[in-house]
Amino acid sequence: PTTVNAAIVVNATVTQSTANITAAPATTAGPASRRIRRLAGCGCAFVLLEAKFTIAYSDTNNITAASVALSFAENVGDCSAMWISQQFSVEFVPDDITFQQSYALGNFIQRSKSGNPGYVVGLPVLSGTLLETSVEENAFTVDTSQIIQSDGLMLYSSDSLGRCSNADTYLVSFGQNSSSECVYNLDLDELMSFCSQQNPFSDYANANSTSTHIGVFGNSDPLKVDEWISIEVQDVPSRTANADEQNAQRICTEMISSVDYEFVTMKVGSIANPQYKIVSASMSVQTSTWTFRQPVNTQKQAFPIKTTVTFLAMDQAADQFVPIMPAIIPELPWDVLYPFVSQSGAGTMTLSLPAMLAAAAAVVAAML
């Protein structure tokens, strides 16, 4: 698309983040002076953590504004090795001047889409949480429930070293099967402590517990709950094994080994331009027995957990619709010639010459 101006000034806002990092006192320096510099020793200052670009466009697909929000951290690191996560994103939003928002147009609230209307393969699966509300109007209860949409269906993967602790997340993409794995590195005492918990995997197995619903189409409207389906969730099994017996055998039973998500999809619409939709979504867990096999109790052993995503396409045969060929002469009601008909003595209906001419005129008029 063409732009309104030859150049758009990008407005920058700067914030400081102290997440898991000790920060120095805030500085008044502007973005131009925020360059990474090495501190005395091994640390760095003004490390970029996040850059979020927002681009506004008009109803004629012209870019009207752009901004970037930068997040920095100060006094990062020491002389030991460490990993620093950086995030970069670009978001396109309609401007507040040219776009008309309404419930009927489906754009009353700003939201992300993954197709219009059907899903586009590779784009995120829409997800959100059902917020049940209602209002009283004229002695009637009106359902005003809506979906609080998230940035997509997020699942656990692992951290940069493959561990489950502080694991990163990833977006589930429509039509793309995926599998990720992380490990718990435990010695015998840590395994037994882990095993003694009633539900040690509640956080992992319900990593996406904040999302209760999935968008049926790629443009499902959060204000229209009937355009979303709930995720059928199998409860995480409660553990009933005897802890002392497991400790003696150096095993831990009924431990989750896999969290599996399954989506059933189908095509709708024209054969020439099929639209993809999700007809069901479910989450289940698999369990196994963890056995500590190290010769020394203080040695670490890796216990893996896997997360899988599977898309199943319904078998569909094309349903071809061939319209009925219309009649050359349209069918007329039996009394269309009334009152031009006359009855003969034999009980049969006859037409006079004027009636026949009128009938012919009526047929010709019906064909025009």
Side-chain angles (χ1 to χ4, degrees), residues 26 48 56 76 97 103 115 123 139 191 268 315 339 354:
L48 179 65
V76 177
I97 302 175
Y103 179 84
L123 293 186
L191 175 62
V268 295
D315 292 332

Side-chain angles (χ1 to χ4, degrees), residues 34-110:
R34 288 182 174 271
R35 300 183 176 89
I36 295 179
R37 60 183 176 84
R38 195 169 187 85
L39 301 175
C42 304
C44 290
F46 304 125
V47 176
L48 179 65
L49 298 180
E50 182 179 9
K52 182 177 180 180
F53 292 86
T54 302
I55 300 176
Y57 59 91
S58 68
D59 57 356
T60 57
N61 292 330
N62 294 320
I63 296 177
T64 57
S67 63
V68 59
L70 304 175
S71 178
F72 291 88
E74 299 190 17
N75 292 1
V76 177
D78 49 29
C79 292
S80 61
M82 67 178 298
W83 295 88
I84 299 177
S85 297
Q86 292 181 310
Q87 294 183 341
F88 302 89
S89 63
V90 178
E91 182 180 14
F92 290 86
V93 299
D95 61 24
D96 299 328
I97 302 175
T98 61
F99 272 89
Q100 299 295 325
Q101 294 179 311
S102 70
Y103 179 84
L105 294 175
N107 63 353
F108 192 75
I109 60 176
Q110 182 179 319

Side-chain angles (χ1 to χ4, degrees), residues 14 16 26-34 46:
V14 178
Q16 290 180 214
T27 176
T28 58
S33 64
R34 288 182 174 271
F46 304 125

Side-chain angles (χ1 to χ4, degrees), residues 200-211:
F201 298 104
S202 59
D203 291 338
Y204 184 91
N206 296 319
N208 196 55
S209 60
T210 55
S211 291

